Amino acid sequence: MGGIHASVMPDEASGFIYIVIIGEAEILWPKFLNDYINGNEKKLYHNEKGISIDLEHSPVPRYDLLKNKNYFKDIRYYYNMVPVQVSRGCPHDCEFCLVTSIYGKKYRKKSIDQIKQEINEIKKNLPGRIILFADDNLFVNRKFAKELLGAIKELDVRWWAQSDISIANDEELLDLIYESGGLFLLIGFESIDPENLKNMNKNAWKFKQLKDYEKNIEKIHKHGVIVFGSFIFGFDHDDT
């Protein structure tokens, strides 16, 4: 078992799972496979403290292994999306979010050529699928995001991603999102209660966006992109 839950609570996971992999897998997965093949697998695998993965060395996923396979044929609504991860890490460090704890505050990214190669492999092996950018916030680095969308624009794909509401203040970015095939954006509004938002991160960044929620949603819609709002219930100032 790996992923977020196992990485945050490895002791709990170890009570139910034979082997737990903690943190980023690029280095750990080959180590585990080698140990397993040699009958020498360990109970826990984790990277040394301070090690973070250089995403420009991440391999292209083997999308060809999924070619002509329909693993969801018995599901009424066929899952028509393929995930691509562009970056890891986020500087916002919101109180409720695990991204900084797992991936750190430093924003790390793949190269644009690398991302284009992944998308082209998806088009070749899984034509017609929608690209799901699995990043927690695809547009943290605006300069890079615009270069990326300019490159994606030439690939003729449809996609969706996660973002924060501040993108509404960048008309050039909104145009590029639509022109490059962006269908909708999942945006974390988290709450509409000012007191909840004030305590969400140290600089009250989320709270400062609240007054413009309605106006900025309308801006994004006018650019032809759907807003998929995400909210959290259970903050200290939520009531019945």
Side-chain angles (χ1 to χ4, degrees), residues 5-35:
H5 188 107
S7 296
V8 174
M9 304 184 72
D11 291 339
E12 180 188 80
S14 294
F16 300 91
I17 302 296
Y18 180 50
I19 294 170
V20 177
I21 297 178
I22 303 166
E24 298 177 288
E26 278 86 346
I27 294 174
L28 299 177
W29 186 245
K31 284 183 179 178
F32 159 70
L33 289 179
N34 184 66
D35 288 349

Coordinates of all heavy atoms in Angstrom, one line a residue, residues 5-35:
H5 N -2.7 8.2 2.3 CA -3.0 7.7 3.6 C -1.9 6.9 4.2 O -1.5 7.1 5.4 CB -4.3 6.8 3.5 CG -4.8 6.3 4.9 ND1 -6.0 6.9 5.4 CD2 -4.4 5.5 5.8 CE1 -6.2 6.3 6.6 NE2 -5.2 5.5 6.8
A6 N -1.3 6.0 3.4 CA -0.2 5.2 3.9 C 1.0 6.0 4.3 O 1.8 5.7 5.3 CB 0.2 4.2 2.9
S7 N 1.2 7.1 3.6 CA 2.4 8.0 3.9 C 2.2 8.8 5.1 O 3.2 9.1 5.9 CB 2.7 8.9 2.7 OG 3.0 8.2 1.5
V8 N 1.0 9.2 5.4 CA 0.7 10.0 6.6 C 0.6 9.2 7.8 O 1.0 9.6 8.9 CB -0.5 10.9 6.4 CG1 -0.9 11.7 7.6 CG2 -0.3 11.9 5.2
M9 N 0.0 8.0 7.7 CA -0.3 7.1 8.8 C 0.3 5.7 8.6 O -0.5 4.8 8.5 CB -1.8 7.1 9.2 CG -2.4 8.5 9.4 SD -4.1 8.4 9.9 CE -4.0 7.8 11.5
P10 N 1.6 5.6 8.4 CA 2.2 4.3 8.1 C 2.0 3.2 9.2 O 1.8 2.1 8.9 CB 3.6 4.6 7.9 CG 3.9 5.9 8.6 CD 2.6 6.7 8.5
D11 N 2.0 3.7 10.4 CA 1.8 2.7 11.5 C 0.4 2.1 11.5 O 0.3 0.8 11.7 CB 2.0 3.4 12.9 CG 3.5 3.8 13.1 OD1 4.3 3.2 12.4 OD2 3.7 4.7 13.9
E12 N -0.6 2.9 11.2 CA -1.9 2.3 11.1 C -2.0 1.4 9.9 O -2.6 0.3 10.0 CB -3.0 3.5 10.9 CG -4.4 3.0 10.8 CD -5.4 4.1 10.4 OE1 -5.4 4.4 9.2 OE2 -6.1 4.6 11.3
A13 N -1.5 1.8 8.7 CA -1.5 1.0 7.5 C -0.8 -0.3 7.8 O -1.3 -1.4 7.3 CB -0.9 1.8 6.4
S14 N 0.3 -0.3 8.5 CA 1.0 -1.5 8.7 C 0.2 -2.6 9.5 O 0.6 -3.8 9.5 CB 2.3 -1.2 9.5 OG 3.2 -0.4 8.7
G15 N -0.8 -2.1 10.2 CA -1.6 -3.1 11.0 C -2.5 -3.9 10.1 O -3.1 -4.9 10.5
F16 N -2.7 -3.4 8.8 CA -3.6 -4.1 7.9 C -2.9 -4.6 6.6 O -3.5 -5.4 5.9 CB -4.8 -3.2 7.5 CG -5.6 -2.7 8.7 CD1 -5.2 -1.5 9.4 CD2 -6.6 -3.4 9.2 CE1 -6.0 -1.1 10.5 CE2 -7.4 -3.0 10.3 CZ -7.1 -1.8 10.9
I17 N -1.8 -4.0 6.3 CA -1.1 -4.2 5.0 C 0.3 -4.9 5.3 O 1.0 -4.5 6.2 CB -1.0 -2.9 4.3 CG1 -2.3 -2.3 4.1 CG2 -0.3 -3.1 3.0 CD1 -3.3 -3.0 3.2
Y18 N 0.7 -5.8 4.4 CA 1.9 -6.5 4.5 C 3.1 -5.5 4.3 O 4.1 -5.6 5.0 CB 2.0 -7.7 3.6 CG 3.2 -8.5 3.6 CD1 3.8 -8.9 4.8 CD2 3.9 -8.8 2.5 CE1 4.9 -9.7 4.9 CE2 5.1 -9.5 2.5 CZ 5.6 -10.0 3.7 OH 6.8 -10.7 3.7
I19 N 3.1 -4.7 3.2 CA 4.2 -3.8 2.9 C 3.6 -2.4 2.7 O 2.6 -2.2 2.0 CB 4.9 -4.3 1.6 CG1 5.6 -5.6 1.9 CG2 5.9 -3.2 1.1 CD1 6.1 -6.3 0.6
V20 N 4.2 -1.4 3.3 CA 3.8 0.0 3.2 C 4.9 0.8 2.5 O 6.1 0.7 3.0 CB 3.4 0.6 4.5 CG1 3.1 2.1 4.4 CG2 2.3 -0.2 5.2
I21 N 4.6 1.6 1.5 CA 5.5 2.4 0.8 C 5.2 3.9 1.1 O 4.1 4.3 0.8 CB 5.5 2.2 -0.7 CG1 6.0 0.7 -1.0 CG2 6.4 3.2 -1.4 CD1 6.0 0.3 -2.4
I22 N 6.1 4.6 1.7 CA 5.8 5.9 2.3 C 6.5 7.0 1.4 O 7.7 7.0 1.1 CB 6.4 6.1 3.7 CG1 5.8 5.0 4.6 CG2 6.2 7.5 4.3 CD1 6.6 4.8 5.9
G23 N 5.7 7.9 0.8 CA 6.2 9.0 0.1 C 6.3 8.7 -1.4 O 5.6 7.9 -2.0
E24 N 7.1 9.5 -2.1 CA 7.1 9.4 -3.6 C 7.8 8.1 -4.1 O 8.8 7.6 -3.5 CB 7.9 10.6 -4.2 CG 7.3 11.9 -3.8 CD 8.1 13.1 -4.3 OE1 9.1 13.4 -3.7 OE2 7.6 13.8 -5.3
A25 N 7.2 7.5 -5.1 CA 7.5 6.2 -5.5 C 8.6 6.0 -6.5 O 9.1 4.8 -6.7 CB 6.3 5.5 -6.0
E26 N 9.1 7.0 -7.2 CA 10.0 6.8 -8.3 C 11.3 6.1 -7.9 O 11.8 5.2 -8.7 CB 10.4 8.2 -8.9 CG 9.4 8.7 -9.9 CD 8.3 9.5 -9.2 OE1 8.1 9.5 -8.0 OE2 7.5 10.2 -9.9
I27 N 11.8 6.3 -6.7 CA 13.0 5.6 -6.2 C 12.6 4.3 -5.5 O 13.2 3.3 -5.6 CB 13.8 6.5 -5.3 CG1 14.4 7.7 -6.1 CG2 14.9 5.7 -4.6 CD1 15.1 8.7 -5.2
L28 N 11.5 4.4 -4.7 CA 11.1 3.3 -3.8 C 10.5 2.1 -4.6 O 10.8 1.0 -4.2 CB 10.1 3.8 -2.8 CG 10.6 4.9 -1.9 CD1 9.4 5.3 -1.0 CD2 11.8 4.4 -1.1
W29 N 9.7 2.3 -5.6 CA 9.1 1.2 -6.3 C 10.1 0.3 -6.9 O 10.0 -1.0 -6.7 CB 8.1 1.8 -7.4 CG 7.3 0.7 -8.0 CD1 7.4 0.4 -9.4 CD2 6.3 -0.1 -7.4 NE1 6.5 -0.7 -9.6 CE2 5.8 -1.0 -8.4 CE3 5.8 -0.3 -6.1 CZ2 4.8 -1.9 -8.2 CZ3 4.8 -1.2 -5.9 CH2 4.3 -2.0 -6.9
P30 N 11.1 0.7 -7.6 CA 12.2 -0.2 -8.1 C 12.9 -0.9 -7.0 O 13.2 -2.1 -7.2 CB 13.1 0.7 -8.9 CG 12.3 1.9 -9.3 CD 11.4 2.1 -8.2
K31 N 13.1 -0.3 -5.9 CA 13.8 -1.0 -4.8 C 12.9 -2.1 -4.3 O 13.4 -3.2 -4.0 CB 14.0 0.0 -3.6 CG 15.2 1.0 -3.8 CD 15.3 1.9 -2.6 CE 16.5 2.8 -2.8 NZ 16.7 3.7 -1.6
F32 N 11.6 -1.8 -4.1 CA 10.7 -2.8 -3.6 C 10.6 -4.0 -4.6 O 10.7 -5.2 -4.2 CB 9.3 -2.3 -3.4 CG 8.2 -3.3 -3.5 CD1 8.1 -4.2 -2.4 CD2 7.3 -3.4 -4.5 CE1 7.1 -5.2 -2.5 CE2 6.3 -4.4 -4.6 CZ 6.2 -5.3 -3.5
L33 N 10.5 -3.7 -5.9 CA 10.4 -4.8 -6.9 C 11.7 -5.7 -6.9 O 11.5 -6.9 -7.0 CB 10.2 -4.2 -8.3 CG 8.9 -3.5 -8.6 CD1 8.9 -3.0 -10.1 CD2 7.7 -4.5 -8.5
N34 N 12.8 -5.1 -6.8 CA 14.1 -5.8 -6.7 C 14.1 -6.7 -5.5 O 14.5 -7.9 -5.5 CB 15.2 -4.9 -6.7 CG 16.6 -5.6 -6.7 OD1 16.9 -6.3 -7.7 ND2 17.3 -5.5 -5.6
D35 N 13.7 -6.2 -4.3 CA 13.7 -7.0 -3.1 C 12.6 -8.1 -3.2 O 12.9 -9.2 -2.7 CB 13.3 -6.1 -1.9 CG 14.4 -5.1 -1.5 OD1 15.5 -5.3 -2.0 OD2 14.2 -4.2 -0.7

